[in-house]
Amino acid sequence: MKKDTLFRENSDKQDFLFNDQVADVFDDMLTRSVPCYAQVIDITSKIISKLVRPGDTIYDLGCSTGTTLLELSRRLSEPEVTFIGIDTSAAMLNRATHKAEMYSQGNRIQFIEQDITKADFTEAGVILLNYTLQFIRPPRRQDFMNRIARSLRPGGVLIVSEKVISHSPRLNPLFIDAHLDFKRKNGYSETEISRKRESLENVLIPFSIQENHQMMAQAGLTDVDTFFQWFNFASIMAIKG
């Protein structure tokens, strides 16, 4: 796993892009930037194993380097389950395909280069959005969530993991400080943290947990609840009634 040093020397301010440079270090970036990343994948896998049905297709929208689908394919050995990862970044999908082949899962996982807001995932058994929804422009999110709800089969499950915001003026700064401390402990310098934050300023726009719940409920999804939270990171699941 190549170490993330992207923001150590580059002082030019530019928006965050999922290009080759980012793809090269993305797995390390997630581990050192997203609290409990591996634990959330573990919990998600356990939830899905209880709800998936034979013949289901599991979609990972914004699958990046395919880490979650690789773990799911390892745990769900039923040949009837299909795994499909969709992402707009060719660089990310190249890494995902390589990893799948390296772990002998290339015949079980299909990766598609496409805009997830335009992709067809009709009759999905499971849809995953891991730190993906936050990159879709806010005015487009409800329509996208409506499409997801329509695409899930009855009893299908949506799992969303996101960076979130608290609207409490007292709590939100505390949550942000906790995340900054997490990054520092994982070896990121103040300069790297600052530069990455600037690059994501107009790209990553988080909602609150409540706003995400409301969006899913408005789309017609039921049994919406948060199953994991670490300060300003949360994982939410919803089931189609």
Side-chain angles (χ1 to χ4, degrees):
M1 185 188 301
K2 190 174 180 180
K3 189 171 182 179
D4 172 25
T5 59
L6 287 182
F7 297 93
R8 185 171 295 177
E9 297 175 359
N10 184 10
S11 59
D12 296 332
K13 184 183 184 302
Q14 53 187 332
D15 286 346
F16 190 90
L17 297 172
F18 293 97
N19 53 23
D20 280 305
Q21 284 182 305
V22 170
D24 276 345
V25 300
F26 195 67
D27 289 346
D28 180 67
M29 182 185 289
L30 286 180
T31 302
R32 295 167 61 208
S33 301
V34 179
C36 306
Y37 180 68
Q39 290 89 332
V40 168
I41 291 178
D42 177 61
I43 298 168
T44 298
S45 299
K46 289 175 180 175
I47 291 171
I48 290 174
S49 68
K50 297 178 184 298
L51 297 173
V52 73
R53 298 176 185 173
D56 268 346
T57 299
I58 299 174
Y59 290 92
D60 188 353
L61 307 183
C63 63
S64 65
T65 62
T67 300
T68 301
L69 284 183
L70 280 168
E71 184 62 20
L72 285 173
S73 67
R74 185 183 70 82
R75 296 192 183 204
L76 303 175
S77 57
E78 295 85 351
E80 298 88 356
V81 177
T82 302
F83 302 90
I84 298 178
I86 304 176
D87 205 294
T88 56
S89 170
M92 291 289 185
L93 293 177
N94 286 338
R95 273 70 178 180
T97 301
H98 175 71
K99 284 163 63 176
E101 291 172 352
M102 187 169 60
Y103 291 103
S104 303
Q105 296 296 320
N107 62 332
R108 297 199 70 205
I109 307 175
Q110 178 185 1
F111 293 107
I112 300 171
E113 184 182 345
Q114 192 175 10
D115 182 343
I116 61 172
T117 64
K118 299 175 181 178
D120 179 19
F121 34 87
T122 307
E123 286 298 299
V126 178
I127 294 177
L128 302 174
L129 285 166
N130 286 334
Y131 315 102
T132 299
L133 198 56
Q134 60 202 21
F135 289 104
I136 295 175
R137 305 307 294 175
R140 300 177 63 193
R141 287 186 201 177
Q142 186 63 62
D143 285 343
F144 181 53
M145 186 59 63
N146 294 345
R147 280 196 68 223
I148 287 173
R150 289 195 300 268
S151 298
L152 283 168
R153 63 157 169 77
V157 61
L158 167 68
I159 295 183
V160 175
S161 292
E162 285 278 275
K163 187 174 185 180
V164 294
I165 188 172
S166 170
H167 291 302
S168 165
R170 292 182 179 181
L171 294 179
N172 199 54
L174 293 174
F175 289 5
I176 292 172
D177 284 346
H179 186 214
L180 294 178
D181 284 341
F182 175 84
K183 288 186 173 183
R184 292 183 190 108
K185 288 176 182 177
N186 281 315
Y188 283 116
S189 68
E190 297 298 329
T191 299
E192 287 176 292
I193 291 170
S194 176
R195 287 175 180 168
K196 185 176 181 183
R197 182 173 62 244
E198 288 177 358
S199 76
L200 286 167
E201 233 171 19
N202 300 312
V203 179
L204 192 163
I205 302 172
F207 280 1
S208 68
I209 291 176
Q210 293 76 16
E211 287 166 332
N212 278 296
H213 280 212
Q214 183 179 5
M215 185 166 49
M216 295 175 194
Q218 189 173 326
L221 297 171
T222 60
D223 302 292
V224 179
D225 213 339
T226 302
F227 64 88
F228 175 86
Q229 183 179 359
W230 186 99
F231 294 100
N232 57 341
F233 286 80
S235 296
I236 303 164
M237 66 178 297
I239 295 176
K240 182 172 181 177

